[in-house]
Amino acid sequence: MPRASAADAAATARRILDTATAHFAAHGYAAASVDDIARAAGVTRGAVYHHYDSKPGLFAAVAAAAQERVAAAIATATRDTPGPAALRDGSHAFLDAITAGTAARVLLVDGPSVLGWEQWRRLDAEGPEQELRAGLREAGVPSAQVDALTAALSGAMNELALWLAARPDDTAARRQAHRALDRLLDAVTSAH
């Protein structure tokens, strides 16, 4: 049997990743099975392990892709926005991106325990946290306060995202969440 082309292999890896994303989001890490993911992706269990080594490795790839999507949403929202408005636009983009689809379950519910605290924090630091730091600097926050405010806002926004994710179809809750986020951001930006 001829070997798959690089494009075929990449398409298979992507199909597995997309299927795993849906399974981890729907069932949680503990209840998702590699056999079910393979079956739903139309591949063998061996193909899953060929591309992703292990179930934790597959979950790590799913989490990394989700973090990249969230960071990209923030970057897009702030691309042409200067100063304090970039912090606001990016923070609202984070809240919307992390509560859209599968991201909250993967990144905030299962992520810390499956990946471990260090790897989970590293993913955040390379994506959304980096965007938050840039937004705080753009808003004129003194350098000496950027680290502490990044930690405080990141934690608050993650908790707000979890609260909102528990109310996925509640438009009133979404409005409340965005208003609460505005109040936090007003407090941060008015102090400088």
Side-chain angles (χ1 to χ4, degrees):
M1 179 192 262
R3 292 191 62 131
S5 70
D8 290 340
T12 299
R14 179 41 126 188
R15 190 169 64 249
I16 293 167
L17 188 69
D18 291 345
T19 303
T21 298
H23 272 258
F24 288 136
H27 307 289
Y29 177 82
S33 98
V34 172
D35 288 333
D36 289 343
I37 291 167
R39 197 171 14 266
V43 300
T44 65
R45 179 185 175 106
V48 174
Y49 288 125
H50 170 75
H51 290 285
Y52 296 102
D53 291 341
S54 63
K55 182 179 172 183
L58 178 57
F59 183 86
V62 166
Q67 250 342 359
E68 287 171 11
R69 285 190 301 276
V70 171
I74 297 166
T76 298
T78 60
R79 183 172 294 127
D80 299 320
T81 310
L87 175 62
R88 187 171 306 279
D89 290 353
S91 296
H92 285 284
F94 167 83
L95 188 58
D96 287 338
I98 203 158
T99 57
T102 60
R105 174 79 186 249
V106 168
L107 293 175
L108 300 178
V109 175
D110 287 338
S113 63
V114 174
L115 298 172
W117 186 250
E118 278 186 38
Q119 185 177 358
W120 183 78
R121 291 291 303 136
R122 187 172 49 255
L123 273 177
D124 189 46
E126 293 167 357
E129 184 180 296
Q130 185 175 316
E131 297 293 334
L132 180 56
R133 280 181 191 290
L136 287 166
R137 287 188 188 105
E138 282 278 320
V141 171
S143 294
Q145 295 177 2
V146 168
D147 287 344
L149 282 172
T150 297
L153 283 174
S154 180
M157 286 191 288
N158 285 344
E159 286 298 320
L160 190 55
L162 285 167
W163 180 81
L164 193 53
R167 297 155 179 80
D169 299 320
D170 188 340
T171 56
R174 183 160 295 279
R175 282 191 305 275
Q176 286 178 311
H178 281 282
R179 280 196 300 269
L181 182 53
D182 278 335
R183 291 187 71 155
L184 286 172
L185 295 171
D186 288 345
V188 167
T189 57
S190 69
H192 305 290

mmCIF file of all heavy atoms in Angstrom, residues 154-177:
data_model
loop_
_atom_site.group_PDB
_atom_site.id
_atom_site.type_symbol
_atom_site.label_atom_id
_atom_site.label_comp_id
_atom_site.label_asym_id
_atom_site.label_seq_id
_atom_site.Cartn_x
_atom_site.Cartn_y
_atom_site.Cartn_z
ATOM 1 N N SER A 154 -6.556 38.460 34.067
ATOM 2 C CA SER A 154 -6.634 37.135 33.457
ATOM 3 C C SER A 154 -7.509 36.208 34.300
ATOM 4 O O SER A 154 -8.402 35.531 33.786
ATOM 5 C CB SER A 154 -5.232 36.546 33.284
ATOM 6 O OG SER A 154 -5.305 35.272 32.701
ATOM 7 N N GLY A 155 -7.261 36.201 35.594
ATOM 8 C CA GLY A 155 -8.072 35.366 36.486
ATOM 9 C C GLY A 155 -9.531 35.783 36.483
ATOM 10 O O GLY A 155 -10.437 34.942 36.416
ATOM 11 N N ALA A 156 -9.768 37.084 36.537
ATOM 12 C CA ALA A 156 -11.145 37.576 36.534
ATOM 13 C C ALA A 156 -11.851 37.228 35.227
ATOM 14 O O ALA A 156 -13.017 36.798 35.238
ATOM 15 C CB ALA A 156 -11.161 39.092 36.762
ATOM 16 N N MET A 157 -11.158 37.389 34.109
ATOM 17 C CA MET A 157 -11.792 37.082 32.825
ATOM 18 C C MET A 157 -12.021 35.579 32.649
ATOM 19 O O MET A 157 -13.028 35.172 32.075
ATOM 20 C CB MET A 157 -10.981 37.670 31.670
ATOM 21 C CG MET A 157 -11.136 39.175 31.585
ATOM 22 S SD MET A 157 -10.471 39.900 30.076
ATOM 23 C CE MET A 157 -8.714 39.743 30.344
ATOM 24 N N ASN A 158 -11.110 34.753 33.159
ATOM 25 C CA ASN A 158 -11.332 33.304 33.096
ATOM 26 C C ASN A 158 -12.559 32.908 33.912
ATOM 27 O O ASN A 158 -13.376 32.105 33.468
ATOM 28 C CB ASN A 158 -10.097 32.539 33.580
ATOM 29 C CG ASN A 158 -8.981 32.532 32.569
ATOM 30 O OD1 ASN A 158 -9.183 32.824 31.390
ATOM 31 N ND2 ASN A 158 -7.788 32.212 33.022
ATOM 32 N N GLU A 159 -12.694 33.477 35.097
ATOM 33 C CA GLU A 159 -13.873 33.183 35.924
ATOM 34 C C GLU A 159 -15.150 33.688 35.272
ATOM 35 O O GLU A 159 -16.186 33.018 35.290
ATOM 36 C CB GLU A 159 -13.712 33.786 37.321
ATOM 37 C CG GLU A 159 -12.738 33.048 38.201
ATOM 38 C CD GLU A 159 -13.164 31.610 38.476
ATOM 39 O OE1 GLU A 159 -14.372 31.346 38.684
ATOM 40 O OE2 GLU A 159 -12.278 30.740 38.494
ATOM 41 N N LEU A 160 -15.085 34.860 34.686
ATOM 42 C CA LEU A 160 -16.242 35.411 33.982
ATOM 43 C C LEU A 160 -16.601 34.521 32.788
ATOM 44 O O LEU A 160 -17.786 34.266 32.532
ATOM 45 C CB LEU A 160 -15.933 36.834 33.524
ATOM 46 C CG LEU A 160 -17.082 37.664 32.976
ATOM 47 C CD1 LEU A 160 -18.246 37.741 33.960
ATOM 48 C CD2 LEU A 160 -16.582 39.069 32.645
ATOM 49 N N ALA A 161 -15.602 34.015 32.095
ATOM 50 C CA ALA A 161 -15.850 33.110 30.970
ATOM 51 C C ALA A 161 -16.508 31.812 31.439
ATOM 52 O O ALA A 161 -17.433 31.314 30.793
ATOM 53 C CB ALA A 161 -14.545 32.812 30.235
ATOM 54 N N LEU A 162 -16.057 31.267 32.558
ATOM 55 C CA LEU A 162 -16.682 30.048 33.090
ATOM 56 C C LEU A 162 -18.137 30.312 33.482
ATOM 57 O O LEU A 162 -19.025 29.495 33.217
ATOM 58 C CB LEU A 162 -15.894 29.521 34.297
ATOM 59 C CG LEU A 162 -14.584 28.824 33.962
ATOM 60 C CD1 LEU A 162 -13.754 28.625 35.220
ATOM 61 C CD2 LEU A 162 -14.847 27.496 33.261
ATOM 62 N N TRP A 163 -18.381 31.456 34.100
ATOM 63 C CA TRP A 163 -19.742 31.828 34.476
ATOM 64 C C TRP A 163 -20.621 31.939 33.231
ATOM 65 O O TRP A 163 -21.735 31.432 33.194
ATOM 66 C CB TRP A 163 -19.716 33.155 35.244
ATOM 67 C CG TRP A 163 -21.058 33.638 35.671
ATOM 68 C CD1 TRP A 163 -21.766 33.223 36.774
ATOM 69 C CD2 TRP A 163 -21.872 34.618 35.022
ATOM 70 N NE1 TRP A 163 -22.964 33.890 36.834
ATOM 71 C CE2 TRP A 163 -23.057 34.754 35.778
ATOM 72 C CE3 TRP A 163 -21.711 35.400 33.889
ATOM 73 C CZ2 TRP A 163 -24.069 35.630 35.427
ATOM 74 C CZ3 TRP A 163 -22.715 36.278 33.533
ATOM 75 C CH2 TRP A 163 -23.877 36.384 34.308
ATOM 76 N N LEU A 164 -20.088 32.556 32.210
ATOM 77 C CA LEU A 164 -20.837 32.740 30.975
ATOM 78 C C LEU A 164 -21.011 31.419 30.225
ATOM 79 O O LEU A 164 -22.082 31.156 29.661
ATOM 80 C CB LEU A 164 -20.126 33.765 30.091
ATOM 81 C CG LEU A 164 -20.902 34.320 28.920
ATOM 82 C CD1 LEU A 164 -22.244 34.890 29.360
ATOM 83 C CD2 LEU A 164 -20.074 35.393 28.229
ATOM 84 N N ALA A 165 -19.996 30.576 30.221
ATOM 85 C CA ALA A 165 -20.083 29.285 29.537
ATOM 86 C C ALA A 165 -21.171 28.398 30.137
ATOM 87 O O ALA A 165 -21.751 27.559 29.446
ATOM 88 C CB ALA A 165 -18.742 28.572 29.574
ATOM 89 N N ALA A 166 -21.464 28.588 31.412
ATOM 90 C CA ALA A 166 -22.536 27.823 32.058
ATOM 91 C C ALA A 166 -23.914 28.322 31.635
ATOM 92 O O ALA A 166 -24.932 27.709 31.956
ATOM 93 C CB ALA A 166 -22.397 27.899 33.579
ATOM 94 N N ARG A 167 -23.948 29.424 30.899
ATOM 95 C CA ARG A 167 -25.204 30.036 30.426
ATOM 96 C C ARG A 167 -25.090 30.305 28.925
ATOM 97 O O ARG A 167 -25.196 31.451 28.486
ATOM 98 C CB ARG A 167 -25.442 31.351 31.173
ATOM 99 C CG ARG A 167 -25.622 31.184 32.654
ATOM 100 C CD ARG A 167 -25.237 32.471 33.406
ATOM 101 N NE ARG A 167 -25.438 32.301 34.837
ATOM 102 C CZ ARG A 167 -24.592 31.679 35.643
ATOM 103 N NH1 ARG A 167 -23.479 31.169 35.172
ATOM 104 N NH2 ARG A 167 -24.858 31.562 36.931
ATOM 105 N N PRO A 168 -24.888 29.276 28.121
ATOM 106 C CA PRO A 168 -24.525 29.485 26.723
ATOM 107 C C PRO A 168 -25.547 30.218 25.860
ATOM 108 O O PRO A 168 -25.168 30.916 24.926
ATOM 109 C CB PRO A 168 -24.290 28.072 26.194
ATOM 110 C CG PRO A 168 -25.063 27.191 27.112
ATOM 111 C CD PRO A 168 -25.031 27.866 28.451
ATOM 112 N N ASP A 169 -26.795 30.094 26.152
ATOM 113 C CA ASP A 169 -27.814 30.725 25.309
ATOM 114 C C ASP A 169 -28.502 31.901 25.987
ATOM 115 O O ASP A 169 -29.539 32.364 25.525
ATOM 116 C CB ASP A 169 -28.866 29.683 24.893
ATOM 117 C CG ASP A 169 -28.233 28.557 24.099
ATOM 118 O OD1 ASP A 169 -27.359 28.848 23.264
ATOM 119 O OD2 ASP A 169 -28.597 27.390 24.329
ATOM 120 N N ASP A 170 -27.915 32.376 27.056
ATOM 121 C CA ASP A 170 -28.515 33.449 27.844
ATOM 122 C C ASP A 170 -27.943 34.793 27.403
ATOM 123 O O ASP A 170 -26.862 35.204 27.832
ATOM 124 C CB ASP A 170 -28.244 33.190 29.326
ATOM 125 C CG ASP A 170 -28.972 34.131 30.255
ATOM 126 O OD1 ASP A 170 -29.387 35.219 29.812
ATOM 127 O OD2 ASP A 170 -29.099 33.777 31.442
ATOM 128 N N THR A 171 -28.673 35.495 26.539
ATOM 129 C CA THR A 171 -28.175 36.772 26.019
ATOM 130 C C THR A 171 -28.090 37.837 27.109
ATOM 131 O O THR A 171 -27.219 38.701 27.064
ATOM 132 C CB THR A 171 -29.045 37.278 24.847
ATOM 133 O OG1 THR A 171 -30.388 37.372 25.279
ATOM 134 C CG2 THR A 171 -28.952 36.349 23.654
ATOM 135 N N ALA A 172 -28.973 37.761 28.089
ATOM 136 C CA ALA A 172 -28.903 38.717 29.198
ATOM 137 C C ALA A 172 -27.620 38.492 30.001
ATOM 138 O O ALA A 172 -26.963 39.457 30.410
ATOM 139 C CB ALA A 172 -30.130 38.603 30.100
ATOM 140 N N ALA A 173 -27.259 37.239 30.222
ATOM 141 C CA ALA A 173 -26.015 36.936 30.938
ATOM 142 C C ALA A 173 -24.812 37.436 30.147
ATOM 143 O O ALA A 173 -23.864 37.975 30.719
ATOM 144 C CB ALA A 173 -25.898 35.443 31.193
ATOM 145 N N ARG A 174 -24.840 37.291 28.825
ATOM 146 C CA ARG A 174 -23.734 37.771 27.999
ATOM 147 C C ARG A 174 -23.603 39.286 28.122
ATOM 148 O O ARG A 174 -22.507 39.814 28.277
ATOM 149 C CB ARG A 174 -23.931 37.355 26.539
ATOM 150 C CG ARG A 174 -22.753 37.765 25.662
ATOM 151 C CD ARG A 174 -22.697 36.985 24.378
ATOM 152 N NE ARG A 174 -22.435 35.577 24.591
ATOM 153 C CZ ARG A 174 -21.213 35.057 24.799
ATOM 154 N NH1 ARG A 174 -20.152 35.827 24.809
ATOM 155 N NH2 ARG A 174 -21.063 33.770 24.983
ATOM 156 N N ARG A 175 -24.724 39.996 28.098
ATOM 157 C CA ARG A 175 -24.668 41.462 28.276
ATOM 158 C C ARG A 175 -24.112 41.806 29.656
ATOM 159 O O ARG A 175 -23.289 42.717 29.791
ATOM 160 C CB ARG A 175 -26.063 42.081 28.090
ATOM 161 C CG ARG A 175 -26.482 42.224 26.641
ATOM 162 C CD ARG A 175 -27.732 43.082 26.476
ATOM 163 N NE ARG A 175 -28.867 42.634 27.260
ATOM 164 C CZ ARG A 175 -29.735 41.693 26.882
ATOM 165 N NH1 ARG A 175 -29.601 41.104 25.707
ATOM 166 N NH2 ARG A 175 -30.739 41.343 27.666
ATOM 167 N N GLN A 176 -24.564 41.088 30.694
ATOM 168 C CA GLN A 176 -24.068 41.335 32.056
ATOM 169 C C GLN A 176 -22.561 41.092 32.128
ATOM 170 O O GLN A 176 -21.838 41.852 32.771
ATOM 171 C CB GLN A 176 -24.765 40.415 33.061
ATOM 172 C CG GLN A 176 -26.178 40.787 33.371
ATOM 173 C CD GLN A 176 -26.763 39.773 34.339
ATOM 174 O OE1 GLN A 176 -26.656 38.563 34.146
ATOM 175 N NE2 GLN A 176 -27.384 40.273 35.395
ATOM 176 N N ALA A 177 -22.112 40.029 31.496
ATOM 177 C CA ALA A 177 -20.687 39.691 31.524
ATOM 178 C C ALA A 177 -19.866 40.800 30.879
ATOM 179 O O ALA A 177 -18.832 41.220 31.410
ATOM 180 C CB ALA A 177 -20.445 38.361 30.820
#
